[in-house]
Amino acid sequence: MGSDHFKSYGQKRQLNKAESVYMALLEAQCVPTEDTYALLLRAYCNAGSLHRAEGVISEMRENGIPPSATVYNAYLDGLLKARCTEKAVEVYQRMKRERCRTNTETYTLMINVYGKAKQPMSSMKVFNEMKSIGCKPNICTYTALVNAFAREGLCEKAEEVFEEMQQAGHEPDVYAYNALMEAYSRAGFPQGASEIFSLMQHMGCEPDRASYNILVDAYGRAGLHEDAEAAFEELKQQGMAPTMKSHMLLLSAHAKSGNVARCEEVMAQLHKSGLTPDTFALNAMLNAYGRAGRLDDMERLLAAMERRGHATGADTDVSTYNVVVNVYGRAGYLDRMEAAFASLAAKGLAADVVTWTSRMGAYARKKEYARCLEVFEEMVDAGCYPDAGTARVLLAACSDERQVEQVTAIVRSMHKEAKTLFTI
């Protein structure tokens, strides 16, 4: 995405408003305040104009105003929302080099940055650094750390942080409970998520729509589609309208169980509710057709998504093609899989670790070890970092002791490199 490419009309309006306020101040010969600069920074980050955001910092210095924690926190918040992890880390390091006084908000933002980058131990390091300088975590800080572990399904770690939060005198709110539920969901323990849900109610904390969505997801991930359906129905009984995400999670649950007919009913129900299926919902339907072996239906839906995408600039993303690559690979249609993989670049999309690993998996199932290694090298050359799933696929491709040793050496080197990815 180009630096001046606006992601949405709403973001463009937000940016125009911020710039108008700034220009009005200059015309009135008023000195812009920290809040004005903070507003501009957030707007530029949300619009994807990172070089303009840097320009705001430079302009402050030129005007003899050293950026404070308020300004830097606004910058970090914008970068967090824009998912610009590396830039956020760079800005955080700059704050420390400039001896800018970091505060609770700074640390909470960085815990979130690392958490969303799937680096929970880096989040933990930030948390410990915060406490070591006497900066007191608040409930948002603890919830951010629970979320960081939750994303990786590290429910024991999430539970420890949750307990520490309570010991520090903070009463868990719905966001904290939801974060802990998410940890059990991602770890594949729907019963744990259900118990936290019940505990939340027992403690007088009302579940919100997100709580029910997490339950639907927890049951769906575990293949318990009837329980997922029950949680979805309970959401409606509580007087809450299911969102697009609610429908998408229910679709995914039925897709996993192979109940394509129910998936189609959910899709029809979604339309009836006046909602237009987004990319996530369509990807879930695509996956349902693929898992059921209904490749013709999958291809028809993909073609429709691509046609609509040409008109709207949306509707397909890397996850769309990950589904297709995975389905073709599992079915043994390697030519079709390679064509789907090649189409990513043609659409301006970059293959992620899931795409590469799915492609490798197709060759691993045929024990084509040499081809697997070739794909692995392509992946590394493309700047995509392998994960544990990649290591499992490489091992599955091995057919003798020598190959196992070779892959083990590769995996060990991967772990060493991982430690240098996000330095604090």
Side-chain angles (χ1 to χ4, degrees):
M1 181 180 67
S3 58
D4 286 313
H5 175 81
F6 295 113
K7 295 176 186 176
S8 72
Y9 175 68
Q11 287 166 337
K12 187 173 181 179
R13 270 182 57 191
Q14 182 189 8
L15 180 54
N16 288 343
K17 184 180 175 183
E19 287 183 327
S20 296
V21 170
Y22 180 65
M23 293 308 295
L25 281 170
L26 292 181
E27 285 168 14
Q29 295 186 325
C30 294
V31 178
T33 64
E34 283 188 341
D35 289 338
T36 313
Y37 286 119
L39 180 68
L40 265 179
L41 280 165
R42 283 195 174 95
Y44 282 137
C45 290
N46 286 344
S49 297
L50 299 188
H51 79 282
R52 289 194 190 181
E54 270 300 314
V56 172
I57 299 293
S58 300
E59 187 178 319
M60 287 186 73
R61 289 203 179 92
E62 285 167 14
N63 292 335
I65 309 168
S68 65
T70 301
V71 172
Y72 271 128
N73 287 348
Y75 198 1
L76 288 175
D77 185 46
L79 292 169
L80 170 67
K81 288 183 171 71
R83 293 188 177 272
C84 298
T85 305
E86 289 181 19
K87 185 66 181 176
V89 173
E90 181 193 314
V91 170
Y92 177 57
Q93 297 286 7
R94 192 193 306 170
M95 280 183 82
K96 294 201 288 186
R97 279 197 309 273
E98 293 174 1
R99 301 190 182 281
C100 178
R101 192 176 178 85
T102 49
N103 56 28
T104 301
E105 186 185 358
T106 314
Y107 290 111
T108 302
L109 284 163
M110 285 312 299
I111 287 167
N112 270 316
V113 165
Y114 284 118
K116 288 192 175 182
K118 299 189 174 183
Q119 294 287 327
M121 296 320 294
S122 293
S123 291
M124 192 71 195
K125 274 188 183 179
V126 173
F127 182 72
N128 289 335
E129 179 187 317
M130 173 187 194
K131 292 195 294 182
S132 73
I133 64 163
C135 187
K136 201 172 179 181
N138 60 23
I139 190 167
C140 296
T141 315
Y142 284 107
T143 302
L145 190 54
V146 172
N147 266 317
F149 288 119
R151 285 186 184 93
E152 296 303 292
L154 301 170
C155 45
E156 286 182 13
K157 285 283 188 186
E159 187 87 55
E160 284 172 19
V161 177
F162 189 85
E163 286 172 7
E164 186 179 332
M165 175 179 69
Q166 290 173 300
Q167 287 162 9
H170 298 290
E171 187 69 34
D173 58 12
V174 67
Y175 303 106
Y177 280 115
N178 285 351
L180 192 54
M181 281 177 66
E182 188 73 51
Y184 283 102
S185 171
R186 296 285 181 103
F189 298 125
Q191 194 55 44
S194 178
E195 284 172 12
I196 299 300
F197 184 86
S198 299
L199 174 65
M200 172 167 42
Q201 292 176 307
H202 177 74
M203 297 303 291
C205 183
E206 280 298 311
D208 61 6
R209 190 185 282 109
S211 313
Y212 286 98
N213 283 348
I214 293 165
L215 263 191
V216 172
D217 190 32
Y219 289 128
R221 284 171 183 267
L224 303 170
H225 60 96
E226 289 180 2
D227 291 313
E229 189 80 54
F232 183 84
E233 288 303 316
E234 191 181 338
L235 163 68
K236 293 194 287 186
Q237 286 163 17
Q238 294 300 317
M240 301 179 205
T243 60
M244 180 66 70
K245 185 172 184 178
S246 313
H247 286 94
M248 183 273 289
L249 293 170
L250 187 61
L251 260 173
S252 298
H254 287 296
K256 188 158 189 174
S257 70
N259 190 346
V260 181
R262 181 61 186 126
C263 287
E264 290 174 329
E265 285 173 11
V266 173
M267 189 63 85
Q269 189 181 328
L270 193 152
H271 282 290
K272 195 176 176 182
S273 303
L275 298 169
T276 302
D278 64 6
T279 304
F280 297 105
L282 292 168
N283 285 350
M285 195 68 233
L286 204 66
N287 191 38
Y289 285 134
R291 290 175 75 97
R294 289 171 54 175
L295 302 192
D296 289 347
D297 288 323
M298 181 187 81
E299 288 165 358
R300 268 193 293 272
L301 178 56
L302 176 64
M305 289 171 73
E306 288 176 333
R307 279 196 304 274
R308 209 166 86 172
H310 288 310
T312 64
D315 274 3
T316 58
D317 60 10
V318 68
S319 297
T320 308
Y321 296 96
N322 285 351
V323 170
V324 178
V325 166
N326 188 46
V327 168
Y328 283 144
R330 286 183 175 279
Y333 295 130
L334 301 187
D335 289 345
R336 289 197 213 178
M337 178 193 76
E338 290 293 357
F341 181 83
S343 70
L344 276 165
K347 296 179 193 315
L349 297 168
D352 62 15
V353 66
V354 176
T355 331
W356 288 103
T357 303
S358 295
R359 188 179 170 210
M360 264 183 268
Y363 294 108
R365 276 184 283 277
K366 293 181 176 290
K367 292 292 180 184
E368 292 188 24
Y369 178 72
R371 183 70 184 113
C372 263
L373 279 191
E374 283 175 13
V375 175
F376 178 77
E377 286 171 10
E378 284 178 43
M379 174 186 186
V380 173
D381 289 344
C384 183
Y385 194 79
D387 63 8
T390 315
R392 284 194 294 272
V393 166
L394 282 173
L395 284 167
C398 299
S399 51
D400 61 44
E401 195 71 28
R402 182 188 59 81
Q403 290 174 354
V404 171
E405 286 175 8
Q406 190 176 5
V407 168
T408 304
I410 290 169
V411 171
R412 281 183 184 145
S413 69
M414 279 162 51
H415 283 299
K416 283 177 187 171
E417 286 170 28
K419 289 175 184 174
T420 63
L421 274 184
F422 291 99
T423 51
I424 295 175

